[in-house]
Amino acid sequence: MTRKIAIITGGSRGLGANSALKLAARGTDVIITYKQDSSAAEAVVAQATELGAKAVALHLDAGSIAGIPAFTKQVQDTLTQWGAQQFDILVNNAGMGIHAAFADVTEAQFDALMNVHLKSVFFLTQALVPLMADGGRILNVSSGLARFALPGYSVYASLKGAIEVLTKYLAKELGARGISVNVLAPGAIETDFGGGAVRDNKQINAFIASQTALGRVGLPDDIGDVIAALVSDDCRWVNAQRIEASGGIYI
């Protein structure tokens, strides 16, 4: 049986790293991207290799589309080295957080968030789809903040809303190739995202847990398992859907 190959952006830490390892454990080879911390990315590669997967970390600045052609060429070269012509799974996970009240958001902050969370996702996917096998899987990462509103996330959440709409259009336009496209909306997770406030601030953590039906804050494993499941053949008939994995927050 031919092993599948997944590309996970932002795979050097947090949810991206966790999902890469979950996929590796399930027999999928992984290409992860990182922006700055090459040592963290290589640590993920080493762990994936220990799990029996082929793995590589490639540099990609998700805040600039200028690097997409070079990155695409690196993906092609990696596939050739692995004896493959195409890859099977794309997880658009790379992200960043800026917390600012609507009245205080600057144009620079807006552009930084837009470039990472919408523009890069759009054009990176556009560049990679020709290298994707028919019947492939694309999973975009959104946020629970696209469903409920918390002050300080007007730009971030609006862009995640745009990704949810884009997901439907991709599913419609790529369906003829058997490629399914879904969007996963995690709730608050204990990672270093946004400075690690959810993980490290006990008051914030306790408040989120109190608003969640399952009574706790999410862990990276909670999301990594969902990602691995959604891009598997078991979920082949799930398409154009928004799946929220938040433990039942604000219901």
Side-chain angles (χ1 to χ4, degrees):
M1 182 177 178
T2 303
R3 293 175 65 92
K4 292 188 176 181
I5 298 172
I7 298 174
I8 304 104
T9 65
S12 64
R13 61 184 180 85
L15 303 184
N18 190 279
S19 61
L21 296 177
K22 294 292 186 181
L23 286 167
R26 296 187 182 203
T28 299
D29 298 326
V30 294
I31 298 172
I32 65 169
T33 78
Y34 68 94
K35 180 181 178 181
Q36 293 175 318
D37 197 343
S38 60
S39 61
E42 290 302 333
V44 175
V45 168
Q47 292 177 69
T49 302
E50 289 177 3
L51 292 168
K54 289 194 288 287
V56 68
L58 302 178
H59 177 265
L60 176 68
D61 180 358
S64 172
I65 67 169
I68 289 177
F71 173 76
T72 303
K73 177 62 166 59
Q74 285 186 297
V75 169
Q76 289 177 304
D77 292 343
T78 299
L79 294 176
T80 299
Q81 292 168 12
W82 289 355
Q85 294 181 320
Q86 297 173 305
F87 74 98
D88 307 277
I89 298 162
L90 173 61
V91 181
N92 284 310
N93 164 78
M96 59 172 288
I98 295 176
H99 183 274
F102 168 76
D104 299 327
V105 173
T106 66
E107 183 179 3
Q109 290 175 321
F110 186 100
D111 288 346
L113 286 165
M114 180 180 67
N115 288 338
V116 171
H117 291 287
L118 180 59
K119 189 174 182 179
S120 177
V121 173
F122 189 103
F123 287 104
L124 180 64
T125 303
Q126 185 186 72
L128 292 178
V129 160
L131 300 179
M132 177 174 274
D134 290 352
R137 306 277 185 270
I138 298 175
L139 184 65
N140 298 321
V141 176
S142 178
S143 169
L145 290 164
R147 174 176 64 84
F148 52 82
L150 293 177
Y153 296 102
S154 59
V155 181
Y156 176 84
S158 295
L159 294 167
K160 290 304 190 182
I163 284 298
E164 295 187 4
V165 173
L166 175 62
T167 295
K168 295 180 181 180
Y169 275 84
L170 291 176
K172 189 76 168 181
E173 297 197 27
L174 300 178
R177 290 183 51 194
I179 296 173
S180 66
V181 190
N182 293 292
V183 61
L184 174 66
I189 307 295
E190 291 186 6
T191 69
D192 61 0
F193 187 81
V198 172
R199 179 192 61 196
D200 302 332
N201 187 307
K202 292 183 178 180
Q203 289 182 317
I204 292 176
N205 192 290
F207 174 76
I208 293 170
S210 73
Q211 302 300 309
T212 303
L214 291 180
R216 65 172 176 84
V217 173
L219 301 173
D221 278 347
D222 295 322
I223 305 302
D225 283 330
V226 174
I227 290 175
L230 286 174
V231 299
S232 73
D233 289 340
D234 291 342
C235 291
R236 61 189 174 276
W237 202 235
V238 179
N239 193 25
Q241 299 303 304
R242 177 189 191 273
I243 296 94
E244 182 169 316
S246 65
I249 191 170
Y250 294 129
I251 54 174

